[in-house]
Amino acid sequence: ELEPGDPTVIVAIIDSGVVFDHVELRGRCRAGADLVDLPEDDLSRGVKLIGDHARRDRTPIDEQGHGTGCAGIIAARGVSLRPGVAGLAPVLPMRALAAAKVADRAKPTALGTLSDIDLAVKLAVDLGARVLNLSFGTPESALREGDPMPHVEVIEYALAHGCILVAASGNSGDRVRYLPACLPGVIAVGAIGVDGKPAPFTTRGDHVALCAPGMEIRTAGLDGLVAQNGTSFAAPFVTGAAALLVAHAAR
């Protein structure tokens, strides 16, 4: 009510892309880019990629729905959903995650390489994004001894350029730290339910800055509207609020 948002405050969504012609997102998205370059030979058994996964281009079209869901929370036009939290701020879709079928999951998931994600973050910064939504993560427990910490350099690059970085804390339900959420300077967001209590799945820890709604969130999907659960969909509420704060501080 105090701040309508600013169309010059660009919000980047580093994710699976966006459905540009969704009724809630028409005219709300900048061009963005598709940075996914995933050779099938590098995948584990039981993982099958769906759709576009091996050619970088300027069309970050979502084939899984995760990025579109985040975009709906941040930038919906308010046709059937509540207007996006970020008000007049546009979203910049940076596709870094491909759609994939995993053997033990009924629905397609989104996955990507660390290099594609880092490239998407850097390009978003270079294209003028002020706030970045990072609804993805790698658990520290997945790192082998001697492995470098993922995303450190590109997060430092974004912070040095004055960007605000908001990341999902993870859906482990325990205290395993996820990257980039646990990196210095990143706002790690957990999820709460409608009762205001932490969701059973939300990742906890001293690095988690705050929580936002993350259960049964009604937002945009690949085809119409969907209800989503997860810290991935809590983070965009904070991202949108941050964009409003940036806009308000500039007045």
Side-chain angles (χ1 to χ4, degrees):
E1 293 178 356
L2 295 175
E3 175 56 57
D6 187 335
T8 68
V9 176
I10 301 171
V11 180
I13 301 177
I14 316 299
D15 216 293
S16 61
V18 166
V19 177
F20 282 78
D21 62 354
H22 194 289
V23 65
E24 290 288 354
L25 297 173
R26 289 175 192 154
R28 302 291 296 119
C29 302
R30 296 215 169 191
D34 179 355
L35 288 312
V36 172
D37 186 11
L38 261 175
E40 292 196 69
D41 295 343
D42 295 345
L43 298 176
S44 304
R45 287 185 178 181
V47 177
K48 181 175 178 56
L49 295 172
I50 302 170
D52 177 18
H53 58 82
R55 183 173 59 86
R56 290 173 176 164
D57 54 47
R58 298 181 181 180
T59 54
I61 303 302
D62 194 355
E63 297 174 316
Q64 193 271 338
H66 195 271
T68 298
C70 293
I73 296 167
I74 294 169
R77 293 170 55 210
V79 179
S80 297
L81 296 172
R82 291 185 178 182
V85 178
L88 298 176
V91 296
L92 178 71
M94 305 301 293
R95 185 173 182 260
L97 308 178
K101 282 286 292 180
V102 180
D104 60 348
R105 298 188 184 183
K107 296 181 179 180
T109 189
L111 56 83
T113 66
L114 299 179
S115 58
D116 288 352
I117 291 170
D118 286 352
L119 181 57
V121 172
K122 183 180 184 301
L123 184 55
V125 174
D126 293 344
L127 289 174
R130 295 291 308 280
V131 188
L132 281 69
N133 189 81
L134 313 172
S135 286
F136 56 83
T138 300
E140 275 190 328
S141 57
L143 302 179
R144 297 167 297 185
E145 186 175 354
D147 281 348
M149 294 281 275
H151 312 305
V152 170
E153 291 84 359
V154 78
I155 293 300
E156 291 176 348
Y157 180 83
L159 291 171
H161 284 74
C163 296
I164 297 170
L165 306 172
V166 181
S169 71
N171 300 322
S172 66
D174 54 28
R175 301 180 72 86
V176 173
R177 291 167 23 121
Y178 281 73
L179 298 118
C182 67
L183 292 176
V186 178
I187 301 171
V189 181
I192 56 172
V194 294
D195 57 1
K197 297 179 180 179
F201 55 76
T202 193
T203 300
R204 296 157 169 78
D206 294 341
H207 65 288
V208 179
L210 71 167
C211 290
M215 295 184 71
E216 291 299 309
I217 303 302
R218 193 165 173 258
T219 186
L222 290 182
D223 184 16
L225 305 179
V226 294
Q228 298 279 22
N229 296 312
T231 58
S232 285
F233 305 102
F237 284 100
V238 178
T239 299
L244 291 184
L245 287 169
V246 170
H248 197 66
R251 294 189 185 281

